[in-house]
Amino acid sequence: MPRNIKVFLITEAFAAGFGGFILPIYVLYFRFYQITLFEVALLAAVFEGAVLISEIPTGLFADRFGRKLSVAIGFSLFAVSGLVFILFRDLTGFIIAEILFGLAEAFISGAGEALAVDSIPDSDKKPMLEKLFTWRSRIRIAVMTSLMIAAGYMFSHNISITFYPVLIGGLGGLTASFFFISDNSERSKPGRRGVVAPLKNMFRQIKLATVLKMIFILSLVANFAFEGVDQYWQILLSELFDVDIRFFGFLTAAGAVAAFILVGPCVRRFSGNLSFPLLVLLLAGIIISSLPNLPAVILPVLLVVYFGVKEMITPLFSIAINNAIDSHGRATFLSGYNLTCSIGEVVSGLMVGVIASRLGLPVVFVFGGAILVLAIIASMFSSRAVFERMPSGD
């Protein structure tokens, strides 16, 4: 196994660890320090805004000045962000920390993955890509699930513990990043002129490849639909169906376990062919739109399926994208893809709040699921390319 893949998986474990730890408790941490519900939403918007604004510039930075450097900067910013969260426990401090956290995510987004993918010899590209993204998914699922379970217990004993894992994990990821083997960044590529050359290359590849266009569009729509579910499924179960809150953790854990088991076989069987992820997304859309109208006894089962399905999409699309693009500007391309996903989340966050307040919570699920189903059907009828094997760009 190439060294950069090993290091990449270690850095992914650090990021998944502190991300999973803070996920179930960070809002409670904010509330403990008198942050209002509006200010909680403001902090979320600040974070997403920082990611959106910096995603493409940091991708260009990685391809121009070095992906290893970009990852190191990202984990350094994570550590500083964690320190600010710990030391400055008011709205101003939290805003600064959220900006740093968003910048950190943008610097790492795409850079580490590009280092790992470009370290694979061409002769081993297909099988190693399948192994890489299967391992990444399983590591992230296992680490996040473990840390999410630990977070509630530790938070109940010491509230101040919340952001220490971000500080520690940032330093751990920074240390691990030093072991990456430096890549041939854009600054050493003859014939690549100008800082924005990787960005132009990204648009060229998307324009020429119908399947890449579809992945970008469908990922945007899918993240739009997923965001509504992620924001409101707990409220749906607790307020509309009176499901005991104690079972919520078991639902997410069951979905993670299902994804952990299935991701390997599905990636080996269906990687390089978009027909399967399209059918998976179609199933997700049907489940999402059906959730408010199901009997309470069936609802938890389909939520587990939804959580598993959501985890399956990422490695399948990642393999398809990395097979289709060339190494020049890979970090920028992956940052552009992550930016597209973030746009879907941000638009959804703004829209579903209005829909929920004016039309009711069930409409959020029906609307989001229906949009996803219609997008999948349109894709299936618009081009036969979704059923073809992905070409290699290297």
Side-chain angles (χ1 to χ4, degrees), residues 30 56 71 148 210 298 322 337 361 380:
F30 292 159
I56 292 297
V71 174
M148 285 174 69
T210 301
I298 301 177
N322 280 289
Y337 173 69
L361 193 58
M380 288 179 169

Side-chain angles (χ1 to χ4, degrees), residues 47 62 66 128 144 147 150 157 168 170 179 189 192 203 221 247 300 331 336:
F47 165 73
M128 282 304 299
M144 285 188 69
L147 271 294
H157 287 78
I168 297 170
F179 292 91
K189 299 284 186 183
R192 293 285 175 183
F203 287 119
V221 177
F247 295 116

Side-chain angles (χ1 to χ4, degrees), residues 89-323:
R89 297 168 178 174
D90 55 27
L91 181 60
T92 301
F94 292 156
I95 287 175
I96 294 172
E98 289 283 8
I99 292 173
L100 292 171
F101 201 95
L103 287 172
E105 184 161 306
F107 266 105
I108 292 174
S109 171
E113 184 176 331
L115 277 169
V117 172
D118 283 339
S119 70
I120 301 173
D122 290 343
S123 58
D124 297 330
K125 195 65 171 287
K126 183 181 183 298
M128 282 304 299
L129 275 179
E130 293 175 0
K131 290 181 181 179
L132 168 61
F133 289 106
T134 298
W135 289 334
R136 182 178 74 165
S137 293
R138 285 179 169 170
I139 288 172
R140 289 186 62 85
I141 291 169
V143 174
M144 285 188 69
T145 302
S146 301
L147 271 294
M148 285 174 69
I149 293 172
Y153 175 81
M154 297 179 70
F155 183 83
S156 65
H157 287 78
N158 185 359
I159 293 173
S160 64
I161 196 68
T162 303
F163 284 98
Y164 276 93
V166 178
L167 170 60
I168 297 170
L171 294 175
L174 172 62
T175 302
S177 71
F178 294 148
F179 292 91
F180 274 121
I181 298 174
S182 295
D183 59 315
N184 294 322
S185 63
E186 289 298 310
R187 59 184 172 179
S188 63
K189 299 284 186 183
R192 293 285 175 183
R193 298 180 180 178
V195 175
V196 297
L199 189 60
K200 294 179 181 178
N201 188 47
M202 180 187 75
F203 287 119
R204 179 184 62 82
Q205 292 184 85
I206 294 174
K207 182 179 179 180
L208 294 176
T210 301
V211 182
L212 287 177
K213 294 177 189 175
M214 288 184 147
I215 291 177
F216 270 67
I217 294 171
L218 291 177
S219 295
L220 187 150
V221 177
N223 279 275
F224 177 92
F226 293 162
E227 182 68 13
V229 182
D230 294 343
Q231 283 192 32
Y232 292 123
W233 72 267
Q234 298 176 39
I235 300 175
L236 181 75
L237 264 63
S238 61
E239 296 185 7
L240 272 68
F241 288 90
D242 198 28
V243 177
D244 195 324
I245 297 175
R246 290 177 296 177
F247 295 116
F248 288 5
F250 292 101
L251 294 178
T252 55
V257 169
F260 185 93
I261 295 171
L262 294 174
V263 65
C266 288
V267 165
R268 287 192 297 271
R269 176 67 178 84
F270 298 106
S271 66
N273 191 318
L274 284 188
S275 58
F276 180 70
L278 282 178
L279 291 175
V280 170
L281 284 175
L282 182 63
L283 174 62
I286 294 171
I287 290 174
I288 292 170
S289 60
S290 302
L291 288 176
N293 304 305
L294 293 170
V297 67
I298 301 177
L299 187 61
V301 176
L302 286 187
L303 268 174
V304 170
V305 176
Y306 162 76
F307 293 136
V309 162
K310 184 181 175 185
E311 290 291 339
M312 296 294 301
I313 292 300
T314 301
L316 291 169
F317 274 175
S318 293
I319 292 172
I321 291 172
N322 280 289
N323 263 326

